[in-house]
Amino acid sequence: MGALVLAEGGEFVAPGAKDFDLGPIFGEGTFLTKPMLLVILSVIIIAAFFMISSRKLKIVPGKAQFIAESVYDFGRNNIAREQIGSKDFQPFVPLILSIFTFILVNNIFGIIPVVQFPTMSHFGFPLAISVLIVYPIYNYVGIKRHGFAGYMKNQLIPPGAPGFVLPLLIPIEFFSKFILQPATLALRVFAAMFSGHLLLLVFTLGGEYLLLEAGGGIFPVFSVFGFGMAIAMTFLEALIQVLQAYIFALLSANYIGAALSADH
């Protein structure tokens, strides 16, 4: 993550939000930051992988083709089809698959040596996907199917709700569906990536501080605990990275399915 100060005047300085602000790669006056570069790299990796693995398709797939088909099948059947419905899911498969693989690769960057930065720990990236892509799409398809009045009724008035509670219920539903929903969609993956990477930094830098900077004695012995926890957290973080990509894609498909559904 660049130059991190482990100690100042012999005291351990815990990592914080400032360590996620990496700044321009080529110095002041330029706009390209490491997270931006990783986003571009992730698109290249995903596109290259699917293009290469599907270039020479075989009845008995090789390893690359098998992985690509498994990822596609997972996005198509386990996410899009289950959440949107077998009648409407097919046009949305590319979107859901793209969201899943894009967030997955950018999350996994956090545990790759040298790279070691989860792009989604910058809130602007998941927020852009949620607000600029998922949010307009599910509202558009809902309005297109039900009409504006029908869509708003479908989203704001639960079936069977008594009339006397509607003045209270409609503002709550509006805030939940049109304001809170896109924000929480982005917040889930951001919070998981930010906190997970911060914990990795704490244990890694803490272990290094105890080993090299704490002044000898018994402290280097405790550094083993720090490094051991960093390794354990890396495996846990890998699991969370996959789960968060899945949850983001799952909720995106769920919102589209709910917008298309005739019921609330």
Side-chain angles (χ1 to χ4, degrees):
M1 288 189 62
L4 293 172
V5 179
L6 294 179
E8 291 179 359
E11 296 183 0
F12 176 69
V13 178
K18 64 182 184 303
D19 296 311
F20 290 78
D21 185 12
L22 304 184
I25 294 176
F26 301 108
E28 297 298 330
T30 60
F31 69 93
L32 185 64
T33 63
K34 183 175 181 178
M36 293 171 64
L37 182 62
L38 292 179
V39 165
I40 297 171
L41 180 61
S42 69
V43 174
I44 295 173
I45 290 173
I46 295 168
F49 171 73
F50 280 106
M51 289 177 65
I52 293 172
S53 61
S54 61
R55 184 174 53 182
K56 295 181 180 179
L57 297 177
K58 300 177 181 178
I59 296 178
V60 180
K63 291 182 179 179
Q65 182 182 334
F66 175 77
I67 294 173
E69 289 179 352
S70 298
V71 172
Y72 174 80
D73 181 73
F74 180 75
R76 180 184 188 275
N77 296 318
N78 294 77
I79 301 179
R81 186 169 189 167
E82 287 190 2
Q83 296 301 316
I84 300 175
S86 57
K87 180 181 178 182
D88 299 310
F89 81 99
Q90 292 192 30
F92 302 100
V93 171
L95 171 68
I96 300 303
L97 183 64
S98 298
I99 289 174
F100 173 68
T101 53
F102 178 77
I103 294 180
L104 178 62
V105 171
N106 279 280
N107 285 352
I108 290 177
F109 280 152
I111 59 172
I112 295 178
V114 181
V115 177
Q116 293 178 313
F117 189 85
T119 317
M120 295 299 143
S121 64
H122 272 210
F123 187 53
F125 291 112
L127 186 64
I129 300 172
S130 176
V131 174
L132 301 181
I133 298 176
V134 179
Y135 181 77
I137 287 176
Y138 73 74
N139 283 302
Y140 170 76
V141 299
I143 292 172
K144 183 178 180 181
R145 169 158 296 186
H146 304 292
F148 181 78
Y151 176 66
M152 296 301 291
K153 179 181 178 181
N154 188 37
Q155 293 296 305
L156 301 180
I157 304 177
F164 68 89
V165 302
L166 293 183
L168 177 63
L169 186 61
I170 288 176
I172 294 175
E173 288 289 311
F174 181 86
F175 178 77
S176 174
K177 295 290 178 63
F178 294 98
I179 298 176
L180 193 60
Q181 191 166 273
T184 55
L185 180 62
L187 190 60
R188 286 183 183 91
V189 64
F190 158 72
M193 293 304 99
F194 182 88
S195 59
H197 199 60
L198 190 60
L199 282 173
L200 285 177
L201 283 175
V202 168
F203 286 117
T204 302
L205 298 180
E208 187 172 350
Y209 172 76
L210 291 172
L211 181 65
L212 302 176
E213 304 287 342
I218 197 173
F219 290 109
V221 177
F222 290 105
S223 69
V224 177
F225 172 77
F227 290 130
M229 284 299 297
I231 294 172
M233 284 299 303
T234 299
F235 287 102
L236 178 61
E237 184 69 3
L239 174 62
I240 293 174
Q241 288 165 351
V242 176
L243 284 175
Q244 285 300 321
Y246 168 68
I247 291 171
F248 196 105
L250 184 77
L251 289 174
S252 299
N254 179 266
Y255 295 158
I256 293 172
L260 293 171
S261 175
D263 298 323
H264 179 71

